[in-house]
């Protein structure tokens, strides 16, 4: 199980999709969120988009392995989604924040490899958030404010990788996957 976290806009989604394309044994865990879909996002593929009442009912019914409030919206990993992927014997890739990583890490039986992705610097992050062209100014501002706190969480991870050149970054993650699989002899 691979956890990828990063400050928003550092490139997790892009990297996750590339890893899944190159390693079809990996399935990306599709989270639930109360955030509104971006223009290019598809329900059930990028996220399960649900409203706050439904999300809170799922929390009450203990349907999440982990959940967190991020930038004013709920995000969570449902037990059903994960168990479904595991049943089919796939590897899982989690694109979750540091709070989710902390909660998942408490399940000692989960063999997690945790990678923290950083942008080369904050200016580049701002450029990426703007060029993604999916969030308004206010949302981008909120994400840049969180950056200063987010980067302090690197210590909770097994590896820290700087996503400067995308292909280099993906290839470093692939090396980690191969080495980890050899170590645990899956
Ligand atoms: P996150 O999922 O971490 O919020 P995204 O994967 O959505 O980030 O990436 C944010 C933007 O940065 C996207 O427009 C993406 O194409 C771009 N991007 C990702 N990696 C790089 C890179 N190494 N160099 C330049 N742009 C990148
Ligand atoms: P975005 O709104 O850009 O898609 O995601 C915002 C943040 O929420 C990112 O850091 C992303 O990794 C995180 N995130 C997405 N899904 C989950 C989840 O299920 N749980 C947690 N804890 N964080 C998530």
């Amino acid at each position: 199980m691979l956890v990828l976290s990063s400050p928003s806009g550092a490139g997790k989604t892009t990297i996750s999709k590339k890893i899944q394309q190159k390693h079809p044994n990996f399935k990306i865990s599709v989270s639930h969120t109360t955030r509104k879909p971006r223009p290019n996002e598809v329900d059930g593929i990028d996220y399960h988009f649900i409203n706050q009442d439904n999300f809170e009912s799922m929390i009450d019914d203990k349907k999440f392995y982990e959940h967190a409030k991020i930038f004013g919206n709920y995000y969570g990993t449902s037990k059903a989604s994960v168990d479904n992927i595991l049943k089919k014997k796939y590897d899982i890739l989690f694109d979750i924040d540091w709070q989710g990583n902390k909660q998942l890490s408490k399940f000692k039986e989960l063999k997690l490899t945790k990678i923290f992705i950083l942008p080369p610097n904050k200016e580049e992050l701002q450029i990426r958030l703007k060029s993604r062209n999916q969030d308004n100014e206010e949302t981008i501002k909120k994400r840049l404010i969180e950056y200063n706190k987010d980067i302090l969480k690197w210590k909770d991870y097994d590896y820290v990788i700087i996503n400067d050149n995308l292909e280099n970054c993906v290839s470093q993650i692939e090396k980690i996957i191969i080495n980890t699989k050899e170590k645990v002899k899956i």
Side-chain angles (χ1 to χ4, degrees):
M1 294 186 179
L2 192 62
V3 175
L4 288 188
S5 302
S6 79
S8 179
K12 272 177 321 295
T13 310
T14 312
I15 294 164
S16 302
K17 288 185 176 160
K18 282 204 175 275
I19 297 282
Q20 193 180 34
Q21 277 163 14
K22 294 173 96 171
H23 301 268
N25 53 313
F26 269 98
K27 296 287 168 220
I28 300 172
S29 159
V30 179
S31 300
H32 285 67
T33 185
T34 58
R35 166 167 79 59
K36 295 274 167 287
R38 295 179 180 135
N40 66 345
E41 287 179 327
V42 179
D43 186 34
I45 296 199
D46 297 290
Y47 281 104
H48 300 289
F49 294 99
I50 61 173
N51 65 31
Q52 184 153 329
D53 285 348
N54 288 343
F55 200 103
E56 286 172 349
S57 300
M58 286 180 72
I59 297 175
D60 292 343
D61 295 341
K62 306 212 177 331
K63 292 205 168 151
F64 290 112
Y65 276 121
E66 63 77 28
H67 67 274
K69 207 155 202 189
I70 308 163
F71 314 124
N73 286 302
Y74 281 120
Y75 293 80
T77 305
S78 82
K79 292 178 179 169
S81 304
V82 173
D83 295 349
N84 197 26
I85 297 174
L86 288 181
K87 233 189 281 160
K88 295 182 188 152
K89 307 264 181 231
Y90 287 116
D91 295 322
I92 304 191
L93 202 161
F94 295 101
D95 170 343
I96 57 176
D97 83 327
W98 62 269
Q99 304 174 80
N101 176 55
K102 253 200 165 108
Q103 293 172 47
L104 273 192
S105 300
K106 288 189 185 141
F107 293 90
K108 294 295 175 208
E109 70 277 18
L110 301 183
K111 290 192 197 106
L112 301 175
T113 299
K114 302 178 265 187
I115 303 179
F116 198 61
I117 311 283
L118 284 171
N121 52 58
K122 194 172 177 180
E123 290 68 36
E124 172 65 16
L125 186 74
Q126 184 165 12
I127 291 169
R128 288 186 192 174
L129 282 168
K130 283 192 175 154
S131 69
R132 183 163 70 186
N133 210 18
Q134 297 283 322
D135 299 305
N136 62 33
E137 280 290 324
E138 186 56 33
T139 305
I140 291 178
K141 224 161 123 190
K142 267 195 214 165
R143 287 168 186 245
L144 284 170
I145 289 170
E146 283 305 306
Y147 169 80
N148 297 319
K149 281 191 247 157
D150 284 345
I151 56 172
L152 303 176
K153 305 298 175 191
W154 67 269
K155 288 182 190 149
D156 295 341
Y157 293 79
D158 302 310
Y159 301 90
V160 179
I161 299 180
I162 296 174
N163 177 21
D164 191 351
N165 174 289
L166 181 62
E167 295 311 320
N168 284 349
C169 178
V170 171
S171 108
Q172 286 184 65
I173 294 173
E174 288 183 281
K175 280 186 194 142
I176 292 171
I177 292 172
I178 292 164
N179 285 342
T180 307
K181 277 188 176 272
E182 267 173 20
K183 259 195 246 162
V184 294
K185 291 204 172 58
I186 290 174

